[in-house]
Amino acid sequence: MKRYAFPLFLALLAALCAFGLTATGGALLVRASQHPETLLALGVLTTGVRAFGMGRSGLRYAERLLSHGAALTQAQVLRAQLYVRLAPLGRELPAQHGQGAFLLRAGADVDALTFETLRADLPLWTYLGLATLLTLGLALLDPLSALLVGPLLLLAAYFPVRLSRQAAQLAGTRAELDGQHAGTLLALSSFGGELAPQAARARLAPIQAELTEVEARLAALPARLNFAREGLAVLALTLLIWRLGGLVQAGDLAAAWLAAAALGVVAAFDAAAVLSALPAARAEGLGAAERLAELQALRPRVTPPAHPASLPAQLALTLHDVALFSSDPSRLTHSFPHGSATAIIGESGAGKTTLLRLLARDLDPASGQISVGGTPLTQLDPAAWRSQLSILDQDAALIDGTVAANLRLALPTASDAELRERLDELGLSHLNFNAWIGEGGAKLSGGEQQRVALARALLRPSAVLILDEPTAHLDPVSENLAVAAIQRRRAGRTLIFATHHTAPLSLADTLCRLHQGTLTELPHGL
């Protein structure tokens, strides 16, 4: 909060200028109507009006400039801290928290926390400072007026803070209902027949009705705050005029002071108008903080040994009595010689992806041992082992950037010519590698996304290629290009891949079927 101290000071000065502009303007009008001959006093008031007007604009601009600069710095620091905290998770993070969308959500949550400061904290503290100074000024003018108006000024700040709790509860309820709504839609997506529309309406109607009610209650909060603020302003102005008006009639106070005080109170309540956004900002910030805390609470499933062994010269992989699932009594024993090409087939759910994740040490087996060149995989530093791997996951995530930026994640020093060559050999010569592809490659077709991800995996220098469904989402022509590219780029590397397609099987010199926790080598050509 220290970085916001000076912007807060400027915001308070800007608010005081707005208050002073209104107050001196009122005093000027009253003074001019009562004593037009006092040119000096009128000149002073006119100068004050102009000075406060210029000060309000200049200070507000400076405050916005500095506060937004501080917010951007805060967001940068928060992002850096978050990424440093999440970096040890490595490839486990998408597996534990969904594919690449978690980064987009985390970035939005960091923004929500940052803008909570701008939309809630700064306006609140600015208003409280203004209300305090106005109350002190009224106390110097007339203590009873300060006692009458001061509490009402503070109530204008209390109500938004009080309603923030309700907004947070409603926002949490809305998030739960959104999840139920999405889950119900997903469940109904596989429900066909003539009864599907009726079933959808029957299941979704109660959720939609509750969502509508929650949305209406959230939308009503700013209106309630505005109504309460206007009511407090009317009450404060009535009490002030009653009290100071009596003093003016008794001759104990100049009318100009009454006008200045009354219009100053109006200006103060106008300054409280921005607090109507406080409950929503607080609710968003609270939800963001909870999600970020959940993300930061994630811990690696695999950890490096205290004294990791050196990587063997030959990276032959061996499975010895490995259990894919803790509930499955079956065990895997198999070897992947250095430089070999092994295809793993099997029905969906057999555990092919799990096996590839065990080889990459995204997971450790429930029992048994995986070794590399005779060294247990658990004795190697996971980062050092993964530096020898080039991995293509199912539905591999693409970042929100250019084609070139996605490819250079595998090899930052790759030249434009190298990138062009990798794209061309996969039938992507039409792609401009400086084109922005959107989050997850949203601007590309499914086949283009798959081929860009495959090009990235093949571009990475590595000793072992682990490919999970490398030709998924591809038409026959694109599939043949992908198989040819893999064959061309796998020279000197160990290739292990899982597939449901027949075309990639030509890459393998060993074919294995994974069935019921057992890996069986099949005759070549079967």
Side-chain angles (χ1 to χ4, degrees), residues 72-360:
L72 291 174
T73 301
Q74 180 187 16
Q76 183 180 12
V77 171
L78 288 176
R79 279 187 170 87
Q81 291 174 345
L82 178 64
Y83 294 154
V84 167
R85 185 69 177 269
L86 297 180
L89 291 170
R91 285 175 36 80
E92 297 180 46
L93 186 54
Q96 293 193 48
H97 219 269
Q99 286 292 353
F102 69 88
L103 285 178
L104 184 63
R105 176 71 263 180
D109 287 338
V110 168
D111 290 340
L113 285 178
T114 302
F115 282 101
E116 180 186 3
T117 303
L118 293 179
R119 295 170 56 198
D121 295 336
L122 281 178
L124 177 62
W125 286 108
T126 299
Y127 173 75
L128 288 174
L130 177 63
T132 300
L133 293 175
L134 177 56
T135 302
L136 291 175
L138 287 175
L140 295 175
L141 189 64
D142 176 55
L144 182 56
S145 297
L147 290 175
L148 293 173
V149 174
L152 300 178
L153 290 169
L154 294 179
L155 281 176
Y158 170 76
F159 288 146
V161 175
R162 181 69 179 84
L163 286 181
S164 296
R165 301 176 185 175
Q166 184 178 352
Q169 292 173 352
L170 289 173
T173 302
R174 180 176 60 184
E176 292 177 5
L177 291 172
D178 283 338
Q180 294 177 20
H181 192 271
T184 303
L185 282 176
L186 185 62
L188 290 171
S189 64
S190 59
F191 184 75
E194 297 180 355
L195 295 179
Q198 293 86 342
R201 283 194 293 269
R203 296 187 186 184
L204 292 175
I207 301 175
Q208 290 174 334
E210 196 170 352
L211 262 175
T212 301
E213 180 184 354
V214 170
E215 292 285 1
R217 291 175 65 186
L218 278 170
L221 290 181
R224 289 170 57 187
L225 285 176
N226 287 332
F227 180 80
R229 178 176 55 81
E230 294 296 338
L232 290 172
V234 169
L235 179 58
L237 192 59
T238 300
L239 292 174
L240 187 69
I241 292 176
W242 167 75
R243 172 58 184 170
L244 295 185
L247 294 179
V248 170
Q249 288 182 346
D252 295 331
L253 186 69
W257 285 111
L258 170 59
L263 290 176
V265 168
V266 171
F269 278 103
D270 284 344
V274 295
L275 299 183
S276 60
L278 189 146
R282 283 274 192 259
E284 291 177 10
L286 180 61
E290 291 176 349
R291 287 188 294 271
L292 289 174
E294 177 186 349
L295 197 59
Q296 291 180 323
L298 296 176
R299 294 294 180 269
R301 291 174 177 170
V302 298
T303 54
H307 303 287
S310 300
L311 282 171
Q314 294 290 319
L315 300 183
L317 281 156
T318 303
L319 307 175
H320 181 69
D321 289 337
V322 169
L324 285 182
F325 308 106
S326 57
S327 59
D328 191 345
S330 302
R331 298 292 183 266
L332 299 179
T333 297
H334 190 79
S335 295
F336 301 90
H338 178 75
S340 63
T342 304
I344 301 171
I345 62 173
E347 63 272 16
S348 296
K352 298 187 297 298
T353 296
T354 301
L355 174 57
L356 295 184
R357 294 187 63 204
L358 288 171
L359 295 176

Side-chain angles (χ1 to χ4, degrees), residues 447-512:
E448 288 172 334
Q449 293 175 17
Q450 180 71 10
R451 283 178 285 168
V452 169
L454 177 58
R456 181 174 63 192
L458 296 178
L459 180 64
R460 176 178 168 83
S462 64
V464 182
L465 273 172
I466 298 178
L467 309 179
D468 196 352
E469 299 290 351
T471 62
H473 315 300
L474 300 184
D475 59 64
V477 173
S478 298
E479 185 174 43
N480 289 333
L481 290 174
V483 170
I486 295 171
Q487 181 64 48
R488 187 179 304 114
R489 301 297 176 184
R490 67 150 297 236
R493 299 200 263 191
T494 303
L495 172 63
I496 305 170
F497 65 95
T499 184
H500 283 100
H501 296 236
T502 56
L505 299 181
S506 63
L507 296 166
D509 46 48
T510 302
L511 176 62
C512 296

